[in-house]
Amino acid sequence: MNQVYKALTIAGSDSGGGAGIQADLKTFQELRVFGMSALTAVTAQNTLGVQGVYPLSVEAVEQQIESIGTDLGADAVKTGMLFNADIIQAVAKKVKQFGWRRLVVDPVMIAKGGAPLLQEAAVSALKTHLLPLAMVATPNIPEAEVLTGMKIRTLEERQEAAKQLHKIGVTYVVIKGGHDDVENAAVDLLYDGREFSYFKGARIETRHTHGTGCTFAAAVTAELAKGRSVHEAIETAKAFIQAAIENELGIGNGHGPTNHWAYRQKWMS
């Protein structure tokens, strides 16, 4: 019998299906990893924006994680939208309780349409309690600016921000390049505490990019769950999200979702 690899996502729900828990579980499934979830908040949203955010209680979040940890276990864990400081601290406590080392932290702060998904007071909790536990953190440039207090306009500034996040305790820092000003390429930067690596993909002009950050981090998590190295996981995640953006679904009237089955059709069929 083949081994079943398991990944847990701790994040918010996206009723539109393009980001959050829904994107994570789709990505896990496409990469042949069994997906599990602990919900932190329910959002009412679509491609036009976020119409409502309804956080769960700390007790509800803790109990979901407890249920997974005491029975199924997890080969890798991803966090997404955590919303407030109390939930962040509760998640960090549970990660330590179950000894989950392959932790991917996607510091979700703002929805594609601009709605805040993390309370301002929670940024400090994220830096103090959760990021020091992360094997991998995957901020985009605006999120890295919030976490470091820097303005990031150049590659050198992105390198410095990565060093600062590594000092917080993140083992591998990935600062994604989707918000960079480079015209023809989206370049993700990886810092392992010693050297930098770069993962380049063609920049696609499209409005259908909702959930790209969630999907990328989920792909990294799925590959880590299989025992892949961080470099290997990021290479696969980059290819996965590149295919998902290039082969757009074209649904919705705003920031549409990416195509989660595109990578399988291209590489795994």
Side-chain angles (χ1 to χ4, degrees):
M1 185 175 179
N2 293 330
Q3 181 175 352
V4 176
Y5 299 103
K6 298 163 291 181
L8 167 64
T9 171
I10 306 170
S13 168
D14 172 6
S15 56
I21 289 281
Q22 286 83 348
D24 294 346
L25 293 177
K26 290 173 187 177
T27 303
F28 293 164
Q29 187 76 10
E30 290 297 320
L31 291 172
R32 298 174 181 172
V33 170
F34 182 77
M36 305 164 291
S37 63
L39 217 61
T40 59
V42 173
T43 69
Q45 66 175 294
N46 51 31
T47 67
L48 298 174
V50 178
Q51 292 79 46
V53 177
Y54 310 95
L56 273 68
S57 68
V58 170
E59 180 184 4
V61 176
E62 286 183 327
Q63 189 56 64
Q64 290 175 84
I65 301 171
E66 183 78 15
S67 295
I68 300 302
T70 56
D71 178 27
L72 294 154
D75 297 305
V77 179
K78 169 192 179 286
T79 66
M81 175 191 176
L82 300 178
F83 189 67
N84 63 38
D86 290 340
I87 290 175
I88 289 170
Q89 291 183 51
V91 169
K93 182 179 73 173
K94 288 297 180 183
V95 168
K96 288 190 285 188
Q97 175 185 332
F98 292 110
W100 288 324
R101 304 300 181 194
R102 296 188 185 113
L103 173 66
V104 178
V105 175
D106 182 21
V108 177
M109 296 180 182
I110 300 172
K112 190 67 68 179
L117 298 176
L118 183 70
Q119 293 180 343
E120 288 186 19
V123 174
S124 177
L126 190 65
K127 293 166 64 175
T128 302
H129 298 286
L130 195 60
L131 284 175
L133 304 177
M135 174 178 282
V136 183
T138 62
N140 58 33
I141 290 174
E143 290 162 349
E145 287 181 330
V146 172
L147 291 171
T148 62
M150 294 177 56
K151 282 291 184 183
I152 302 173
R153 297 292 180 268
T154 66
L155 178 61
E156 291 74 18
E157 288 169 343
R158 218 180 339 155
Q159 291 173 338
E160 179 58 32
K163 289 179 180 179
Q164 289 193 25
L165 292 173
H166 184 268
K167 288 178 181 178
I168 291 174
V170 181
T171 308
Y172 294 87
V173 181
V174 181
I175 301 184
K176 297 170 293 188
H179 290 77
D180 206 342
D181 292 331
V182 178
E183 290 184 4
N184 298 319
V187 181
D188 299 335
L189 175 154
L190 168 66
Y191 181 61
D192 64 4
R194 298 179 304 278
E195 59 186 16
F196 295 96
S197 302
Y198 304 92
F199 301 81
K200 183 181 295 187
R203 187 176 295 279
I204 308 300
E205 291 302 322
T206 176
R207 62 182 171 86
H208 299 285
T209 57
H210 180 56
T212 51
C214 301
T215 300
F216 176 83
V220 172
T221 307
E223 293 302 295
L224 291 178
K226 298 174 187 175
R228 305 287 192 260
S229 71
V230 171
H231 280 77
E232 290 170 333
I234 294 171
E235 285 178 352
T236 297
K238 186 68 172 177
F240 189 99
I241 197 60
Q242 190 73 29
I245 296 171
E246 287 179 352
N247 298 276
E248 65 181 43
L249 298 170
I251 60 176
N253 297 303
H255 296 288
T258 64
N259 183 347
H260 288 93
W261 62 72
Y263 179 80
R264 169 169 48 87
Q265 286 187 324
K266 185 174 182 179
W267 299 109
M268 298 178 68
S269 59

